[in-house]
Amino acid sequence: MNIHYTIKFWGRKDPTIFEQIINGGKKIVDPFCGAGTSGYVSGLKGCSALLSDINPVSIFISGNLLNKTYLDEKTVKNLERELNEIQKRCYSVDSGILQEAVYMTYYRCPNCGELVSPMNRENGKLVCNCSKRFAQREAREAVDRVREVVLQDWNGGLRKTNPKEYTEDILINSWYPKRKFEYERNKAFKNLPNFGKRVDQIFFPRGLKAAAETYELIESIDDEKTKDFLKLIFIASLYSATKMIPYSATSGPSWKIPRYWTPPVKVERNFIQTFIRRLRYLNKMKKAWSELVKDYEIFVDYFGNVETGNDKYLSIVRSDARDFEPPEVYDVAVMDPPHYGEILYFEMTYLWQCWLYGKKRDKRFRDFRFWKKEIDVNLKLRRDLSYYNEELAKVVGKYMDYSKKIFLILHNSIGYQFKTTLKLLKEKWDVEVKTVELKVPTSAQGIHGRKKRHLYLLEIKN
Ligand SMILES: C[S@@+](CC[C@H](N)C(=O)[O-])C[C@H]1O[C@@H](n2cnc3c(N)ncnc32)[C@H](O)[C@@H]1O
Ligand SMILES: [Zn+2]
């Protein structure tokens, strides 16, 4: 059982880091909880924990990973039967089931209109046969061409087929989100996906159909807890339907961290098979987890109301780290804020929030303006390094009253940023710095293709 491989969450930390930090503490508080790793480690160690985050999707992920919901065998079997029907409708190709397809994006030359291979580059710029050089964003359009298709026969065997274009129209009758990638009107994301201005445009057509039909199936279920658990599996599987997974010939289908939007050589997976695999894996994990935390009370709240138990508890609350008032004093505060501007959480979880908000406009996810309150570096939103440092220092200051020990986790990716943060903190408090090696892949490695990275662990003393 390892929570790390349940859902990709950017910047999620290796559980062993939290083990080091907790180090015998009994009550933990984590105001930047992300996907809930500190809560998971608290459960393993028999501690209580109060987690919070500004992002409603974080609360959803943490809440559904840490609560005691799992499905019985019969429900799983029934679901699988219905999912297989969706699979047949969406992925039947050439008398087989599409297993995976590799695409390369070609860019239309702004000069002569020919398609240019993404491999034809000099110093990062695309080079056309007509000798025009141009940047990707200057292309007239981007066209995905299929290069390789792997099918599964009805008897389960795999075979490769000749690449052919799948141009037939795919009709989608179920709801799917069509929101734009923007903070608010006329304020587009900092990292706009290549040629996708709307959420639905970064999906492969059959993937979008499969996802939309699966979501409709989930929405038809009565039990709210089951529904949420399946929605967690849904968002965890969603990448396989999008153009976000980079393809590399050597590594095969593995735990790849999706790119920050669509890479030029990408792979389409079979969403239904991903969903079923993830369902089995998460269900097994949740069953074991429920046993482990059977004497815990678990609270999840999206509207800032804190509840805590008399005995052992895990409580997950949506709140801005600066406003939050913990109801008691904790042994350890662990803080893993956004690492400067490396990952923009509102942008990264937006795709999920759009689905979760849904056709029914689930009120837990209706806040699409919390980006205003994020603590990170985003020049497009006029948040610079000094803003980040000041706000972080405010949070640290606040938790001085609520915890006996404070640990802050920071990246070493850009040295001068880290130095300025450290300088500011040292002006106010006594700070001890340790370095921690990363044991599991992080999104930062995935995005920048860098090798070995480490983290800084700061202990802040009053
Ligand atoms: C590096 S992630 C935490 C990852 C987490 N430790 C894990 O292992 O999954 C940083 C988190 O800080 C949250 N955040 C950003 N600004 C915040 C604020 N003002 N208040 C609370 N949380 C905030 C983001 O939503 C994001 O989930
Ligand atoms: Zn040209």
Side-chain angles (χ1 to χ4, degrees), residues 432-451:
E432 190 187 313
V433 185
K434 266 194 272 178
T435 58
V436 191
E437 289 295 326
L438 292 180
K439 291 203 183 65
V440 294
T442 73
S443 47
Q445 282 167 314
I447 289 165
H448 305 298
R450 289 182 199 147
K451 291 262 155 51

Side-chain angles (χ1 to χ4, degrees), residues 109-114 116 128-132 134:
C109 171
N111 181 39
C112 71
E114 286 296 304
V116 180
C128 179
N129 284 336
C130 78
S131 82
K132 170 83 181 166
F134 60 101

Side-chain angles (χ1 to χ4, degrees), residues 183-449:
Y183 288 98
E184 59 191 12
R185 259 179 93 87
N186 300 325
K187 197 181 269 183
F189 281 7
K190 179 167 178 286
N191 298 288
L192 248 199
N194 280 333
F195 298 94
K197 297 232 176 316
R198 280 190 347 229
V199 164
D200 53 316
Q201 291 167 338
I202 62 164
F203 283 83
F204 290 106
R206 65 184 72 242
L208 186 60
K209 182 177 170 69
E213 294 196 8
T214 302
Y215 206 76
E216 189 168 87
L217 169 67
I218 296 172
E219 286 287 23
S220 74
I221 291 166
D222 285 330
D223 181 63
E224 291 301 323
K225 286 190 168 154
T226 305
K227 213 192 269 191
D228 273 357
F229 180 51
L230 291 171
K231 285 182 183 175
L232 174 71
I233 294 158
F234 178 87
I235 62 169
S237 312
L238 207 50
Y239 296 116
S240 53
T242 71
K243 300 178 178 176
M244 291 168 84
I245 307 180
Y247 173 75
S248 62
T250 45
S251 53
S254 61
W255 185 258
K256 283 209 190 69
I257 306 217
R259 285 297 148 103
Y260 219 144
W261 314 119
T262 59
V265 187
K266 50 190 152 266
V267 50
E268 173 179 20
R269 303 260 175 81
N270 180 314
F271 171 80
I272 301 297
Q273 291 183 14
T274 307
F275 188 97
I276 292 174
R277 261 200 315 275
R278 208 48 74 80
L279 170 62
R280 293 210 190 106
Y281 182 83
L282 256 150
N283 206 41
K284 212 165 92 187
M285 185 214 128
K286 285 298 298 291
K287 196 172 171 179
W289 174 255
S290 303
E291 185 53 34
L292 193 87
V293 296
K294 63 174 185 298
D295 353 304
Y296 275 71
E297 284 185 277
I298 318 270
F299 306 97
V300 182
D301 186 278
Y302 290 81
F303 304 100
N305 310 307
V306 194
E307 274 190 275
T308 59
N310 295 324
D311 196 14
K312 284 184 186 168
Y313 67 86
L314 298 175
S315 181
I316 304 137
V317 189
R318 185 171 173 233
S319 173
D320 185 331
R322 287 162 292 203
D323 305 340
F324 194 50
E325 299 285 345
E328 52 190 326
V329 173
Y330 290 79
D331 296 322
V332 181
V334 22
M335 297 183 191
D336 179 24
H339 300 291
Y340 305 99
E342 197 163 65
I343 299 162
L344 301 175
Y345 285 90
F346 178 79
E347 291 192 1
M348 287 306 237
T349 57
Y350 184 78
L351 175 67
W352 290 339
Q353 190 176 350
C354 290
W355 281 92
L356 292 169
Y357 184 50
K359 185 186 176 182
K360 296 189 175 159
R361 301 175 179 227
D362 186 330
K363 62 180 188 308
R364 296 175 296 173
F365 306 104
R366 79 180 153 207
D367 180 6
F368 281 95
R369 300 174 72 74
F370 70 86
W371 52 267
K372 292 193 170 178
K373 298 189 197 159
E374 285 182 314
I375 298 176
D376 60 10
V377 177
N378 185 339
L379 298 181
K380 181 143 195 175
L381 302 178
R382 287 193 247 140
R383 293 199 287 252
D384 59 9
L385 186 56
S386 64
Y387 171 84
Y388 176 89
N389 287 336
E390 290 294 336
E391 297 311 298
L392 195 56
K394 272 187 207 164
V395 180
V396 171
K398 170 164 206 129
Y399 280 83
M400 284 290 173
D401 297 336
Y402 292 109
S403 58
K404 296 177 196 148
K405 286 183 174 177
I406 296 187
F407 289 92
L408 190 61
I409 304 172
L410 287 172
H411 261 277
N412 69 334
S413 44
I414 307 178
Y416 81 87
Q417 293 189 332
F418 174 71
K419 277 185 201 134
T420 62
T421 310
L422 191 60
K423 187 164 166 269
L424 179 75
L425 296 176
K426 278 189 167 167
E427 277 164 19
K428 304 186 186 225
W429 302 288
D430 178 13
V431 183
E432 190 187 313
V433 185
K434 266 194 272 178
T435 58
V436 191
E437 289 295 326
L438 292 180
K439 291 203 183 65
V440 294
T442 73
S443 47
Q445 282 167 314
I447 289 165
H448 305 298

Side-chain angles (χ1 to χ4, degrees), residues 115-168:
L115 287 180
V116 180
S117 156
M119 302 307 183
N120 277 1
R121 273 178 210 271
E122 261 172 49
N123 300 328
K125 287 208 162 181
L126 294 151
V127 187
C128 179
N129 284 336
C130 78
S131 82
K132 170 83 181 166
R133 285 152 191 275
F134 60 101
Q136 226 161 274
R137 66 185 144 73
E138 295 168 318
R140 237 184 260 173
E141 65 171 336
V143 179
D144 289 333
R145 290 236 163 129
V146 67
R147 282 206 334 197
E148 185 180 301
V149 178
V150 181
L151 298 182
Q152 188 173 48
D153 286 325
W154 298 113
N155 60 18
L158 294 181
R159 72 187 150 90
K160 284 191 180 172
T161 68
N162 288 331
K164 77 164 203 203
E165 306 295 332
Y166 297 114
T167 49
E168 76 254 48

